Amino acid sequence: MADVSAARTKAVFEFKSATLPLIAVILKTSDLDVLAEALDAQLADSPDFFEQEPVVIDLSQLPEHDEAGEATAEIDFAALRSLLARHQTQPIAVRGGNDTQNAAARAAGLSLAAMPSAPAPRPPAPPAEAPAEAPQIIREVPVPANGTLLIDKPLRSGQQVYARGGDVVVTAVVSFGAEVIADGNVHVYAPLRGKAIAGARGNTEARIFSTCMEAQLVAIAGIYRTNEVPLPDPVLGKSAQVRLDGKKLVIDAIP
């Protein structure tokens, strides 16, 4: 009887490891009213951007003290889950929190996720940029070797997409303040007004393509150029590609 029961159990289910694309919402304030206002403003034009995707709440950048030196308030994780769910996400875990935050998160039904290893080197941001108070929303999607990630919705300021292990194709506008990152090539078949980073893990053969080049920043394998140096007229607002020639970025018009 035991053998029959064991065989029946094996036929009913299996445990297997799985790699899932996850969105990380990096919190920079514990004030949920401020957070709600920022999320409403950032996602107003694309309310269905996430389509019930799983979310990891990243607490690693929360300040321990406010400007007055007082300890920051504890997070109401039940309310935070409801707030994020209102924007078509499914919060499933937290990462980067302290022991108190982790205990509160688990009490609210969230799992604990380990912090990832240190990310690949990224080009430094322009020094004049002021830190944003809105939460940073990252969509990191593992892509099979030589594969392609397709994004067909606009990317708003503060949103970031990273195609880890492959190329990314975006068929909608990349707004100023948004980031498109790929280990391979970046293709934007729409206005590219934000940041485009190709060859994020050092691929010097990677390229950036856009049908309307107006980028805030372009970078390949850590070599970057910002809009502090205006694009020349033959490529500004036109179809263009960005490539590396040795240690120099070259931007060519596409006929």
Side-chain angles (χ1 to χ4, degrees):
M1 180 67 71
D3 292 340
V4 172
S5 177
R8 186 177 300 165
T9 300
K10 289 181 181 178
V12 171
F13 67 88
E14 292 183 70
F15 288 108
K16 287 188 176 181
S17 61
T19 300
L20 298 176
L22 292 177
I23 297 167
V25 180
I26 303 175
L27 298 189
K28 300 180 180 180
T29 177
S30 59
D31 189 326
L32 297 191
D33 291 333
V34 172
L35 180 62
E37 183 177 351
L39 283 169
D40 289 342
Q42 189 173 135
L43 300 175
D45 295 333
S46 51
D48 298 323
F49 181 80
F50 294 114
E51 297 181 338
Q52 301 299 325
E53 295 184 70
V55 163
V56 175
I57 301 168
D58 191 319
L59 308 175
S60 62
Q61 296 190 30
L62 275 179
E64 296 183 2
H65 300 87
D66 58 23
E67 294 180 356
E70 300 292 333
T72 53
E74 295 183 4
I75 300 173
D76 183 342
F77 283 98
L80 178 57
R81 290 187 71 178
S82 298
L83 172 59
L84 293 173
R86 196 173 75 203
H87 290 283
Q88 306 300 313
T89 66
Q90 294 290 334
I92 60 171
V94 299
R95 69 184 186 188
N98 56 36
D99 291 343
T100 301
Q101 292 166 338
N102 290 344
R106 297 190 75 166
L110 294 164
S111 300
L112 301 183
M115 287 294 291
S117 58
R122 291 271 307 279
E129 286 188 347
E133 294 186 358
Q136 183 181 1
I137 300 175
I138 300 176
R139 183 195 296 254
E140 179 177 331
V141 183
V143 179
N146 301 317
T148 300
L149 170 67
L150 174 63
I151 302 295
D152 59 2
K153 296 179 181 178
L155 294 178
R156 305 300 177 185
S157 179
Q159 295 177 336
Q160 179 193 86
V161 170
Y162 173 28
R164 178 160 54 86
D167 297 351
V168 61
V169 173
V170 185
T171 60
V173 63
V174 178
S175 301
F176 187 91
E179 295 185 41
V180 182
I181 305 170
D183 289 343
N185 302 307
V186 172
H187 303 258
V188 180
Y189 299 119
L192 170 56
R193 296 171 182 148
K195 302 176 183 180
I197 300 168
R201 294 180 181 267
N203 179 4
T204 57
E205 299 299 318
R207 298 193 180 194
I208 299 169
F209 304 88
S210 176
T211 56
C212 183
M213 182 66 71
E214 301 174 345
Q216 176 187 2
L217 177 147
V218 290
I220 297 177
I223 298 176
Y224 71 98
R225 170 178 176 153
T226 73
N227 59 2
E228 292 180 353
V229 179
L231 292 172
D233 289 339
V235 298
L236 179 61
K238 301 179 176 66
S239 295
Q241 67 166 317
V242 184
R243 59 184 175 85
L244 269 182
D245 184 1
K247 296 293 185 179
K248 179 183 178 181
L249 282 181
V250 178
I251 304 178
D252 300 316
I254 299 177

